Every structure is written in C-alpha cells, then in structure tokens.
Amino acid sequence: MKNILFVSPTGTFDNGAEISIFYLMTALVKRGNKVINVAPGYQGEDKTSYQNKFKASGIDTYILPAGKWWWEDAPGGLPEDAKVRAFYYRENIAQIRQLIQENSIDLVVTNTVNMFQGALAAACKSIPHFWLIHEFPENEFAYYLDKIDFIAEYSKEIYSVTGLLNQKLNLLFGEKDIKQFIPYSEVDASPLKKGEKIRFVSVGRLTERKNQLELLKAYHQSGKTDVDLVLIGAGDEDYKIKCLNYIKKYNLKNVKLTGHLDNPWETLTDKDIFVSSSAMETFGLVYIEALLKGLPVIISDNPGYESAYKIFQEGEKYPLGNIEALSEKLSLSLETFT
C-alpha cells in the first residue's frame, strides 16, 4: 500500500483533466492505497459538492486558499498583487509539505503541467514526484516551453496523454522518457431518453479554447436556425459575452445556454447531434463520451481529437477554422440523421 497525494488544477469537474484523474484516484483507492487530493479555493467559491464526490470514493480533499494556483505566466491573468501571490505560493507549498509529513506520503502527483507547488514540496521532503501533462505547449500553454528543464529535473517520472501530445513531448524533453496514458471517464451506458426533435448539442465550458463562437457562426451560415442549438457548460465571462452578443446580433432565437450541469448526458436525447468546434483538446473525453452514448458526432480536427479519432474511427470531422465546412456538416447531418 502506498500513500499518494494528488495536486489538482481547478477543484471543479468542468474539465477533462480533473474528471479523468478522479477515476485514477478512485482506482488507486480500490487497490488498497491511501489517496488524498489538494485543490485551490478562491473567495466565494463553494467546493462542497467537489469534496463530497471525492469523499464518497474514500479520498480526502483539502481545499487550499490560493492567490494564483497556476504558474504566474499560465492562463488566468494575475489576480491580487505580486506580494499576495508570492505569499500564497509559499503558503501552499508549506501546506502541501505539512500534508506530506502528516500522512506519510510516498508519492506526489501533479495533475496538469500548470502547477509547481507539489513538485517543490516533494523535493523538500525528498520523496518522488510524478507530473501528468494534459496540455499541448501551444497558444495559451506555450508558456511552459520555458519550464521544460524544471519539469524534467523535478519529476521522477512524467506522463502525458497518448497520441500526438506524447510524440511532441518526447521530442521536446530529449533524453527524458515521457510515458503515456489514455484519459478515462465513466459513462452510464444506459440508453438515452427519447427525444421529440433533432437538436445540435455541444458540451464544454464556453471558452476561446472550446471555440463555441465558430459553431455559432456555422450554425447561422447553415440557415438551419429553426433547429435548436444547445450549449451546455459554464463559461469564462468575457467569452460568454462574445457568444451572447453574436446570438443577439443575428437573432438566433433557438440557441440555448444551460450553464453548468453536473451530468449533461442526462439532458441529451436520442434525437441529438453532438458537435464540438474545439480549437484545442489533448485527447477529447467529451467526444468519446458522446460516442459511447450512441450520438452522431461532428468534431474539429484539432490534435487531441485526431489522437482519439485514430483509435475510435467514428464521427464526422471538419477542418478547424473552416466555418463553411462545418456549416455543410451541420446541414448534411440533418438530412442523413436516420
């Protein structure tokens, strides 16, 4: 039996990294290991449901008050001032060190490339540290190209999502062997409820990365705006406003924004068509979940979806950024739905 501490990136279940590694932690507990989880907490947030989900699987979760939980140059801006952020970074490392000591931790695992506190705490306590990388070093995550040497030095082992990301990281890290894993999400395989009409449905947080504005543009261009388009997921406020402004400008009356849903698949029906115009995915759990639920699928050809598509070979793809191609896929999917 081992005692393992995980450092989680958000303290939410609205991203694939948190979802997939929750199931890894659960599997480790079932094999007799003790697992604890640490995640960030910000003023005004309620983490009760997040903590309860872990507790039900025998995992204690500690929510650590944070200034900025990710690297300073990682996405998310710079909240507070530099002194406050520095205080919280030091405090969080000290808190993790204390948890390591109190729980006789044998291994620290950092889930995503975006945090460094666990790596430093593990080094201070002279125990192994593993890093799990879910992000391509591109666009908003290109910042971590400057951290490659640090990541290599402060990790006994590094794992990345299988496919194109793993290939790229093995080139970047040189002699350091980057192992690979396939993210896992537990999906209820029971049949979808019966639907009354065909809808387009997209599941994922409203962000630049998830790129729902491209879907809105293709939906408008298709002329099929009498068909409901349902966008499921919480949103980054600035990007959500962009989407709402576009919906208002073109009077897209059949677009519905549901906000965050704990189990989005419960709201889908056997008449739905799943569409994801995501600009970047590491693997694409939501695409796999849609396939497992038996939904027709349209996805962009971003690198993560390409990696998953090579395994499953299901669904329709369109070239990312090509609004006309996506528009045509939407129209064709209605004609050939049955």
Side-chain angles (χ1 to χ4, degrees):
M1 185 184 85
K2 297 290 185 183
N3 298 330
I4 307 169
L5 183 148
F6 279 79
V7 182
S8 290
T10 63
T12 62
F13 282 110
D14 60 2
N15 60 88
E18 288 267 15
I19 293 168
S20 62
I21 303 307
F22 165 76
Y23 290 110
L24 172 59
M25 293 188 218
T26 301
L28 289 168
V29 169
K30 288 178 179 177
R31 293 185 181 191
N33 300 286
K34 177 182 177 180
V35 177
I36 67 173
N37 178 40
V38 298
Y42 302 100
Q43 191 171 3
E45 287 186 330
D46 182 3
K47 301 287 189 180
T48 305
S49 62
Y50 177 83
Q51 288 176 289
N52 287 344
K53 187 174 177 71
F54 280 95
K55 188 175 182 179
S57 292
I59 302 161
D60 289 330
T61 293
Y62 296 85
I63 302 299
L64 307 184
K68 180 166 182 173
W69 188 246
W70 291 10
W71 297 90
E72 288 238 315
D73 39 0
L78 293 173
E80 307 291 351
D81 62 37
K83 289 183 179 179
V84 172
R85 293 194 302 275
F87 165 80
Y88 276 111
Y89 282 140
R90 289 193 298 269
E91 183 71 7
N92 294 154
I93 293 166
Q95 290 167 324
I96 294 170
R97 288 178 63 183
Q98 185 174 352
L99 287 170
I100 290 171
Q101 184 166 329
E102 290 175 351
N103 293 275
S104 301
I105 295 297
D106 301 299
L107 169 67
V108 175
V109 181
T110 296
N111 180 29
T112 87
V113 78
N114 294 307
M115 299 86 63
F116 59 88
Q117 297 92 322
L120 290 178
C124 290
K125 304 304 288 185
S126 299
I127 63 171
H129 173 258
F130 289 3
W131 223 309
L132 310 183
I133 302 181
H134 298 255
E135 302 84 1
F136 277 88
E138 299 170 4
N139 301 315
E140 72 265 46
F141 296 113
Y143 82 93
Y144 85 78
L145 288 169
D146 293 334
K147 321 291 185 190
I148 295 291
D149 290 345
F150 178 91
I151 293 166
E153 185 174 348
Y154 281 81
S155 300
K156 181 176 181 182
E157 292 188 13
I158 303 172
Y159 294 80
S160 82
V161 173
T162 191
L164 298 175
L165 175 61
N166 187 260
Q167 294 171 25
K168 181 156 193 166
L169 291 184
N170 269 298
L171 291 174
L172 285 172
F173 277 86
E175 294 181 4
K176 189 85 172 182
D177 178 32
I178 311 301
K179 298 178 173 64
Q180 56 187 310
F181 67 95
I182 294 179
Y184 172 79
S185 179
E186 197 167 275
V187 178
D188 179 5
S190 59
L192 293 163
K193 62 186 179 183
K194 297 291 182 182
E196 296 180 359
K197 59 182 180 178
I198 296 175
R199 306 181 301 174
F200 298 120
V201 180
S202 186
V203 179
R205 187 176 180 86
L206 270 66
T207 64
E208 294 278 357
R209 193 178 188 208
K210 297 296 184 182
N211 196 33
Q212 287 92 345
L213 196 54
E214 182 161 296
L215 172 55
L216 286 169
K217 291 176 180 178
Y219 172 74
H220 176 234
Q221 186 171 312
S222 74
K224 305 296 183 181
T225 55
D226 56 325
V227 178
D228 285 354
L229 169 58
V230 184
L231 303 179
I232 299 175
D236 292 353
E237 197 57 34
D238 290 347
Y239 191 74
K240 182 179 177 181
I241 290 169
K242 281 184 185 179
C243 292
L244 289 171
N245 286 342
Y246 188 89
I247 292 166
K248 183 177 180 181
K249 179 179 179 179
Y250 292 102
N251 195 28
L252 303 177
K253 295 180 179 179
N254 291 316
V255 178
K256 322 288 184 187
L257 276 64
T258 70
H260 172 73
L261 299 177
D262 285 337
N263 188 351
W265 305 109
E266 287 182 349
T267 68
L268 272 64
T269 79
D270 62 355
K271 289 287 196 293
D272 289 334
I273 299 168
F274 175 85
V275 189
S276 177
S277 51
S278 183
M280 178 55 74
E281 297 286 343
T282 310
F283 191 68
L285 275 180
V286 71
Y287 155 61
I288 297 165
E289 289 172 336
L291 291 179
L292 291 172
K293 296 301 286 186
L295 293 170
V297 167
I298 302 170
I299 54 172
S300 63
D301 64 351
N302 72 63
Y305 282 156
E306 288 282 28
S307 294
Y309 186 85
K310 285 181 180 178
I311 296 172
F312 291 93
Q313 296 288 312
E314 291 289 344
E316 295 289 330
K317 290 190 298 179
Y318 80 95
L320 180 65
N322 191 328
I323 292 168
E324 184 175 346
L326 176 54
S327 173
E328 291 173 357
K329 292 286 186 186
L330 295 176
S331 298
L332 186 61
S333 68
L334 295 174
E335 295 173 19
T336 61
F337 181 81
T338 54

